[in-house]
Amino acid sequence: MSSKLSTVFAGISMKSPVMSASGTFGFGLEYSDFVPLQALGAVVVKGTTLAPRAGNTGHRIAETPSGMLNSVGLENPGVDEVIKHILPQLVPYETPVIVNISASTVEEYGLLANKLSRAPIAALEINISCPNVKQGGMVFGVEEESAAAVVASVKQNTDKPIITKLSPNVTDIASMARAVEQAGTDAISLINTLQGMVIDIHSWRPVLGNVMGGLSGPAVKPVAVRMVYQVAQAVSVPIIGMGGITTADDAVEFFLAGASAVAVGTANFANPRAILDITQGLEDYLSMKGLDHVSQLVGQVKL
Amino acid sequence: MAKYQEGALILSHEMIAPALRKLVLYAPQMATTATAGQFIHLAVGDDSHLLRRPLSIADADSSRKTLTIIYKIAGKGTKQLATRQKGESIDCMGPLGQAFTLQGEHPLLVGGGIGIAPLLLLAKSLCPRPSEVLMGGRSAEDMIWPALFESICEKLHVTTDDGTAGVKGVNVELLPDLLSKGKFDMIYTCGPKPMMAAVAQLAKEFHIPCQVSLEEYMACGIGACLSCTCAKTNGGRAKICTEGPVFWSTEVFD
């Protein structure tokens, strides 16, 4: 990887600013047959909770025009299993690992952060924006006070950098961003999925077992670029931009809007090598534009 | 088991019934390693349909390095796939998933609808065991299978809903009689879930081990997205893409 892409994001040294988005890349290991994990900027693993979760029943995904809905419901083996059996397997790849955490109370977020503070990971991403679980998840991400309380609780329990992942399902994304910045987050990632619904016109039933789900993929990209732009105007902490990034061109838009790093989600399903292709394409774009470093793009949209 | 992502050349793509297509792919790595019950995850080839489609392998020929897929045009993705032409390349991941376990001396294969497709490679792999195949479909129009099974199984039993081919009715109605007369020591089944549940129930009553092949909407196909997990009888959950699609019936049916 060239020095054009090497990035220090919230104190984390990365070979490139292109990482996986939580929930779309498993624990990374699942993709190791197709992608050299050491070539990724970082591996952001599946949302992890205190206790194991079975997730939602019924269909969990539905394809939509240029996108998809999911309602997995945070199925995961629980933080103890993740620390004991999964994270050690990622150590040999020498790629920063970021663990996405989700909980149903402020105290649980703190407890999760505490348990993970001694694990071989680079940072924590706080999920206050999952639309697919009844308790917790998005409820923390749509109210400024509770979002700030979660960030403060995590901050008290770890020395690792913390990234707060915002929900797009709010009326004012900029004030949410300011609230979590004031509470001490080291970085912000956005967007999580947009709430959506698909109905089967033959059975007249919702396609998803959980009725509603989270929309992702190219369909959400313009919304995501807009929100990254708005948040970049509002805060000074660095931003991981995501939402429908499928090509290097998409990634460039997010950098121009103000993101210092990007995450690739749904595109991994279409092409397991998506992150590699985007990383290579980004390097080609910088060469084409005669730029020395990816940071020269950040926030450079001309109005 | 190694998994590959390769651009597979379409050698032929033909209509074998109004809604059924037979796709033959030149896929050297996958064709030499694929076994019965596994699937490939195939990009249908346009930007609007992001997700790949998991399709079971109906034949794998390691000498010709080809994979054969027989699929039903069931929705927008398979409709798009059907437009792909001979000579084009198609992005495939595979072979994925757990295969059927080949064991027993007198196997019975029970297939319904497009679920009959993976039983083709299975029947071929079970040779020279004398396998019998019980298959059911809607009508003679889509019952294209008997000719394909003729040389690779001992005996065929056919039903159609409208009676235009074989016995009128659904295939599981013939099962109690077959099981009480035959000496089957393994049942393999693939088809609609209610059919497989009925087969699993009868297998239990007759004390015959049974393997089922499940399906579900999938995104990644490699165990990462957790879209396709199913409930197991022991209270846990299993990923259909990596722990299945083939399970012992007692793992997933009560």
Side-chain angles (χ1 to χ4, degrees):
Chain A
M1 211 60 63
S2 81
S3 57
K4 277 183 188 208
L5 296 179
S6 64
T7 297
V8 179
F9 182 90
I12 312 158
S13 295
M14 300 181 182
K15 293 174 203 104
S16 96
V18 188
M19 57 188 88
S20 63
S22 176
T24 64
F25 210 65
F27 290 99
L29 302 162
E30 295 88 341
Y31 276 86
S32 59
D33 284 308
F34 301 96
V35 183
L37 298 180
Q38 55 276 16
L40 274 51
V43 174
V44 185
V45 304
K46 177 90 191 109
T48 300
T49 54
L50 212 47
R53 278 183 62 95
N56 293 326
T57 54
H59 290 311
R60 289 175 168 190
I61 55 164
E63 195 177 51
T64 59
S66 297
M68 62 174 279
L69 286 178
N70 90 80
S71 64
V72 171
L74 290 175
E75 178 175 341
N76 80 94
V79 68
D80 292 335
E81 172 71 12
V82 169
I83 291 172
K84 200 170 170 195
H85 293 121
I86 299 173
L87 295 178
Q89 295 181 61
L90 284 162
V91 172
Y93 292 100
E94 294 181 349
T95 292
V97 173
I98 298 172
V99 176
N100 177 289
I101 56 170
S102 203
S104 48
T105 66
V106 170
E107 293 70 31
E108 264 182 40
Y109 275 102
L111 207 51
L112 271 166
N114 189 277
K115 278 179 179 271
L116 284 159
S117 60
R118 288 172 301 279
I121 61 171
L124 290 173
E125 181 178 57
I126 310 176
N127 183 0
I128 49 167
S129 45
C130 179
N132 294 324
V133 293
K134 283 196 181 72
Q135 282 240 302
M138 200 172 74
V139 299
F140 290 107
V142 294
E143 215 189 314
E144 289 163 34
E145 295 76 23
S146 52
V150 168
V151 173
S153 169
V154 171
K155 191 85 185 164
Q156 278 161 20
N157 281 283
T158 186
D159 294 327
K160 295 195 189 285
I162 55 177
I163 303 159
T164 306
K165 187 167 184 175
L166 299 184
S167 169
N169 303 302
V170 294
T171 43
D172 184 1
I173 193 77
S175 27
M176 282 303 304
R178 277 191 289 264
V180 298
E181 182 182 47
Q182 274 164 22
T185 195
D186 299 290
I188 288 173
S189 57
L190 79 164
I191 59 173
N192 204 321
T193 55
L194 283 152
Q195 238 178 342
M197 182 170 174
V198 181
I199 300 170
D200 182 325
I201 61 156
H202 300 293
S203 66
W204 296 14
R205 292 176 195 279
V207 172
L208 296 176
N210 202 42
V211 183
M212 288 176 282
L215 180 66
S216 63
V220 310
K221 198 192 77 181
V223 177
V225 171
R226 182 266 292 182
M227 287 191 157
V228 166
Y229 172 73
Q230 287 179 312
V231 170
Q233 304 300 307
V235 300
S236 53
V237 292
I239 297 167
I240 304 172
M242 71 189 88
I245 296 176
T246 307
T247 64
D249 293 3
D250 297 335
V252 169
E253 275 194 67
F254 279 85
F255 287 112
L256 292 172
S260 307
V262 294
V264 177
T266 303
N268 294 311
F269 302 150
N271 173 18
R273 293 178 54 85
I275 298 176
L276 286 191
D277 293 351
I278 290 165
T279 306
Q280 183 58 53
L282 191 55
E283 201 171 328
D284 296 345
Y285 176 86
L286 294 173
S287 302
M288 185 185 79
K289 290 287 181 187
L291 297 171
D292 300 325
H293 197 264
V294 63
S295 58
Q296 291 171 283
L297 296 174
V298 177
Q300 294 304 309
V301 59
K302 296 176 185 172
L303 298 180
Chain B
M1 190 79 82
K3 300 167 188 163
Y4 306 97
Q5 181 183 13
E6 58 185 339
L9 181 70
I10 301 177
L11 297 178
S12 69
H13 197 174
E14 54 180 321
M15 181 168 95
I16 52 173
L20 298 182
R21 298 291 182 273
K22 182 178 170 188
L23 176 65
V24 182
L25 299 168
Y26 179 73
Q29 291 174 307
M30 290 186 263
T32 39
T33 51
T35 50
Q38 290 188 292
F39 67 95
I40 58 170
H41 210 28
L42 205 150
V44 298
D46 75 345
D47 288 344
S48 176
H49 302 99
L50 294 181
L51 299 180
R52 289 166 180 266
R53 294 300 189 270
L55 296 170
S56 62
I57 298 167
D59 197 12
D61 188 326
S62 57
S63 57
R64 289 187 181 144
K65 304 198 180 342
T66 59
L67 286 179
T68 301
I69 306 299
I70 296 177
Y71 67 94
K72 183 179 174 181
I73 300 177
K76 290 172 185 160
T78 41
K79 197 173 170 186
Q80 170 62 27
L81 175 61
T83 67
R84 303 299 304 274
Q85 308 269 326
K86 178 180 170 180
E88 290 178 5
S89 172
I90 199 160
D91 182 351
C92 297
M93 291 164 66
L96 302 178
Q98 302 301 320
F100 288 109
T101 303
L102 306 183
Q103 68 181 58
E105 292 310 309
H106 296 92
L108 175 66
L109 285 56
V110 185
I114 194 61
I116 300 167
L119 302 184
L120 268 172
L121 180 55
L122 175 64
K124 192 173 138 185
S125 309
L126 285 166
C127 290
R129 297 176 180 88
S131 58
E132 291 190 31
V133 182
L134 167 61
M135 54 176 71
R138 290 220 174 96
S139 70
E141 191 179 69
D142 48 24
M143 194 39 88
I144 49 98
W145 308 100
L148 304 173
F149 276 92
E150 234 163 30
S151 63
I152 49 173
C153 75
E154 180 89 356
K155 203 170 177 189
L156 269 175
H157 311 271
V158 178
T159 66
T160 50
D161 297 350
D162 61 6
T164 49
V167 178
K168 184 176 178 173
V170 295
N171 56 3
V172 284
E173 290 166 356
L174 302 191
L175 202 51
D177 193 43
L178 272 176
L179 293 180
S180 47
K181 285 180 186 159
K183 290 177 181 158
F184 301 111
D185 53 7
M186 181 62 66
I187 298 172
Y188 300 91
T189 184
C190 185
K193 205 169 180 187
M195 182 207 89
M196 290 195 288
V199 174
Q201 180 61 35
L202 283 163
K204 193 155 96 178
E205 283 169 26
F206 282 84
H207 307 289
I208 305 169
C210 176
Q211 298 173 45
V212 300
S213 177
L214 302 186
E215 68 171 352
E216 181 51 89
Y217 296 157
M218 282 180 195
C220 72
I222 53 176
C225 71
L226 307 182
S227 299
C228 68
T229 69
C230 68
K232 292 209 292 186
T233 47
N234 69 5
R237 293 191 74 84
K239 300 167 191 172
I240 291 176
C241 62
T242 53
E243 294 165 65
V246 176
F247 294 92
W248 291 100
S249 61
T250 49
E251 289 181 287
V252 289
F253 288 109
D254 284 325

